[in-house]
Amino acid sequence: MKAKTEVDRQALVEAAVAARERAYAPYSGYAVGAALLAESGTIYAGCNVENAVYPLSMCAERAAVFQAVCGGEQRFEAIAVVTENGGTPCGSCRQVLREFGEEIVVLIADTDGHWRETTVGDLLPDSFSAADLG
């Protein structure tokens, strides 16, 4: 699928870096920032927010998606995720992103400025979607 919005990869990664600076990660020390580009051209940021009750924590990627949906968006072109070591989105985040399409571009970056590009479909092959609900 051809992107409807031109993806400025560097700007998206920079937005994720800025979001990462606001992460609340006192327990793991693993700050994550995400920046989600909606088809409208709007960028929605998210950062991880930990909680002493670990299951109540929120990942950066899901925070960005939920903020975008709350803002009226449901079509996404790309997401950048920045961690210290270039860690990939967790399974829960992959599934939430999959809800909105396998073709979403995923930029995975580290704090040294290195990044790679993939898609939600490549990160979550044989995924479950609304089509499986028949």
Side-chain angles (χ1 to χ4, degrees), residues 17-74:
V17 168
R20 182 179 179 271
E21 293 171 2
R22 295 185 296 272
Y24 178 74
Y27 307 106
S28 72
Y30 194 75
V32 182
L36 179 66
L37 175 64
E39 185 177 272
S40 69
T42 302
I43 294 175
Y44 294 88
C47 62
N48 59 320
V49 178
E50 294 181 348
N51 189 290
V53 179
Y54 294 151
L56 299 181
S57 298
M58 177 58 65
C59 296
E61 301 91 328
R62 286 183 288 145
V65 169
F66 298 161
Q67 180 173 298
V69 170
C70 186
E73 306 274 9
Q74 293 186 10

Side-chain angles (χ1 to χ4, degrees), residues 9-21 23 30-35 46-48 60-61 79-89 106-115:
R9 286 156 173 77
Q10 187 61 40
L12 202 57
V13 169
E14 289 172 7
V17 168
R20 182 179 179 271
E21 293 171 2
Y30 194 75
V32 182
C47 62
N48 59 320
E61 301 91 328
I79 187 167
V81 180
V82 176
T83 66
E84 183 176 348
N85 62 351
T88 64
V106 181
L107 305 172
I108 301 166
D110 65 24
T111 54
D112 291 329
H114 303 106
W115 57 275

